[in-house]
Amino acid sequence: MDLSVSVRQCEICGVEYDSASLPDVCPICADERQYLAEDRRQRWVDPADYTGRIEVLPAEPGLWSVRVGGGPGIDQQAKVIVTEAGNVMVEVPASMTNDAVEAVRALGPLRAIIASHPHMYGLQSLWSRALGDAVVYVSSLDREWLGLTPASVAFWDGEIELVPGVVASQPGGHFPGSSVVHWAGEDGAGVLLTGDTVAVNPDGESLAFMRSYPNRIPLSSSVVLRIADHLERYEFDRIYGNFGRAITHDASARLRSSAQRHAAWARGDYDELTGPG
């Protein structure tokens, strides 16, 4: 594992920073969408100190999950899409081991790394360097949140094809540049990787749309419907979130119904169900 880059990471969110210019407090955690340590003390950790285990496991044909055990950060799961034109890592682990790098390398050449939003930046510079300087795609609208700019960075807006058949776009919402990644899947039915733009609920059947998930800040009805309209450009049967949950069938219809439900509650359509006041 190449740790020659001078990197430290926030213990709470796991995002990488240049150790030569560490801020007094991690701005990602100080933002209303995230949170600071309970004692409000900022702690920076060295990625080289991680001693846990990272597993690279199949999610479905052509799609793999990278699951990190312990360590800094919020425990996001990266996904690796495997294609004949090269592979794409969606979301970035906040830890790294030699074994995990070798397991991802064994899936084929990695062409692109993309985080859906700043909470998912993880150790994107180190993963890129370890995997042949894969291009790290960062939404232009969210570049201000970079604590360390990867050497192989590409800023982008709108929609971009990462490799043939794998497309990213920016519906926004959670962050201005919040992104999703679409892939047809080996069966052609369509897969959408949504990050926190759209989150799979614990029931496995519905989805949530939030400015902040841990701090329970909702998005407006108009923004939620805008996101749903944006995603209708894609055909997809399955949705994978970034924390291990998935909707395994009828995902497009479930996304639309979830957006309509959110919008209705936000408009006050069901206020009579909340009690007399």
Side-chain angles (χ1 to χ4, degrees), residues 46-67:
D46 186 338
D49 292 338
Y50 176 70
T51 58
R53 182 182 180 189
I54 301 176
E55 296 180 296
V56 180
L57 302 169
E60 66 170 72
L63 185 69
W64 295 74
S65 293
V66 183
R67 301 181 185 176

Side-chain angles (χ1 to χ4, degrees), residues 7-271:
V7 175
R8 291 296 181 269
Q9 59 187 144
C10 173
E11 182 181 55
I12 298 298
C13 70
V15 171
E16 63 182 13
Y17 284 82
D18 184 342
S19 63
S21 56
L22 293 175
D24 292 336
V25 63
C26 170
I28 289 176
C29 291
D31 178 72
E32 68 177 1
R33 283 161 287 204
Q34 184 58 13
Y35 48 86
L36 299 168
E38 290 186 5
D39 62 6
R40 298 300 189 265
R41 293 182 60 190
Q42 178 64 48
R43 295 175 178 84
W44 301 104
V45 297
D46 186 338
D49 292 338
Y50 176 70
T51 58
R53 182 182 180 189
I54 301 176
E55 296 180 296
V56 180
L57 302 169
E60 66 170 72
L63 185 69
W64 295 74
S65 293
V66 183
R67 301 181 185 176
V68 178
I74 55 179
D75 296 329
Q76 68 262 31
Q77 290 186 15
K79 293 288 189 295
V80 178
I81 301 171
V82 177
T83 81
E84 293 182 357
N87 301 345
V88 177
M89 176 180 281
V90 183
E91 316 301 15
V92 189
S95 298
M96 189 173 159
T97 65
N98 289 326
D99 287 346
V101 168
E102 290 303 317
V104 173
R105 185 179 289 128
L107 300 176
L110 194 72
R111 303 300 186 201
I113 295 173
I114 185 167
S116 62
H117 65 286
H119 295 152
M120 301 291 109
Y121 286 166
L123 294 177
Q124 56 188 5
S125 293
L126 296 184
W127 278 95
S128 171
R129 285 173 64 96
L131 292 164
D133 293 320
V135 178
V136 179
Y137 289 89
V138 175
S139 296
S140 296
L141 292 171
D142 295 336
R143 67 187 297 172
E144 67 182 281
W145 297 100
L146 286 169
L148 176 65
T149 301
S152 300
V153 69
F155 296 104
W156 67 286
D157 295 290
E159 186 171 271
I160 188 169
E161 189 170 50
L162 301 166
V163 298
V166 180
V167 176
S169 65
Q170 300 171 350
H174 183 55
F175 274 78
S178 281
S179 307
V180 299
V181 174
H182 179 263
W183 169 58
E186 290 196 359
D187 63 356
V191 172
L192 200 62
L193 307 180
T194 57
D196 281 344
T197 304
V198 181
V200 179
N201 285 326
D203 63 10
E205 297 181 349
S206 65
L207 299 119
F209 309 76
M210 302 287 280
R211 173 169 174 81
S212 171
Y213 291 90
N215 298 326
R216 274 73 164 185
I217 306 173
L219 295 171
S220 71
S221 58
S222 60
V223 169
V224 168
L225 293 175
R226 184 195 78 201
I227 291 170
D229 289 344
H230 176 107
L231 297 179
E232 284 187 347
R233 70 184 63 187
Y234 302 118
E235 293 185 5
F236 56 94
D237 184 56
R238 301 179 294 283
I239 287 177
Y240 288 89
N242 48 349
F243 291 98
R245 294 183 178 135
I247 291 182
T248 57
H249 61 282
D250 298 327
S252 180
R254 294 176 190 274
L255 187 145
R256 173 54 67 178
S257 64
S258 295
Q260 291 171 340
R261 180 179 69 176
H262 180 118
W265 275 99
R267 285 193 304 262
D269 292 2
Y270 303 125
D271 283 359

